[in-house]
Amino acid sequence: TGIVWRRLEPGREPRAEEIMRELMVLSRKQAGYLGSEIFPPISGVQDAYVVLYRFDSGAHLRGWLGCDRRQELLTEMEGLLAEPA
């Protein structure tokens, strides 16, 4: 399981959410994919988006982490973050 936290700059949520959804679609096409979920911020509880990616093995998770298109999307996401990933 891979867990990702993303704190966004105010007003950047719509584009960031589009990118997160595109990442979810892309993850479903990867070998060993088991599931994924996005948890948006909850006022007073957590101030970041939390994304879970589940794969059947560490090798498949590493394959997903190294995916070229994933890297492109993360590069675009960098400009939307309140702090570095």
Side-chain angles (χ1 to χ4, degrees):
T1 300
I3 302 171
V4 178
W5 287 75
R6 298 282 188 244
R7 285 186 183 85
L8 302 174
E9 285 289 338
R12 303 290 175 101
E13 296 87 359
R15 178 61 188 137
E17 289 175 3
E18 287 175 17
I19 292 171
M20 285 186 256
R21 283 191 296 275
E22 190 171 341
L23 285 163
M24 298 291 267
V25 169
L26 183 63
S27 71
R28 292 180 185 124
K29 299 175 184 176
Q30 301 301 307
Y33 173 84
L34 296 175
S36 53
E37 298 174 72
I38 297 174
F39 299 94
I42 301 168
S43 182
V45 177
Q46 72 184 37
D47 63 351
Y49 285 81
V50 178
V51 185
L52 301 177
Y53 295 101
R54 291 184 302 282
F55 287 85
D56 64 359
S57 69
H60 285 142
L61 175 59
R62 284 186 296 280
W64 159 240
L65 295 175
C67 173
D68 290 340
R69 179 64 182 141
R70 178 181 178 274
Q71 295 304 317
E72 292 169 8
L73 290 166
L74 292 179
T75 298
E76 184 178 349
M77 179 75 87
E78 285 176 15
L80 308 174
L81 299 177
E83 59 189 40

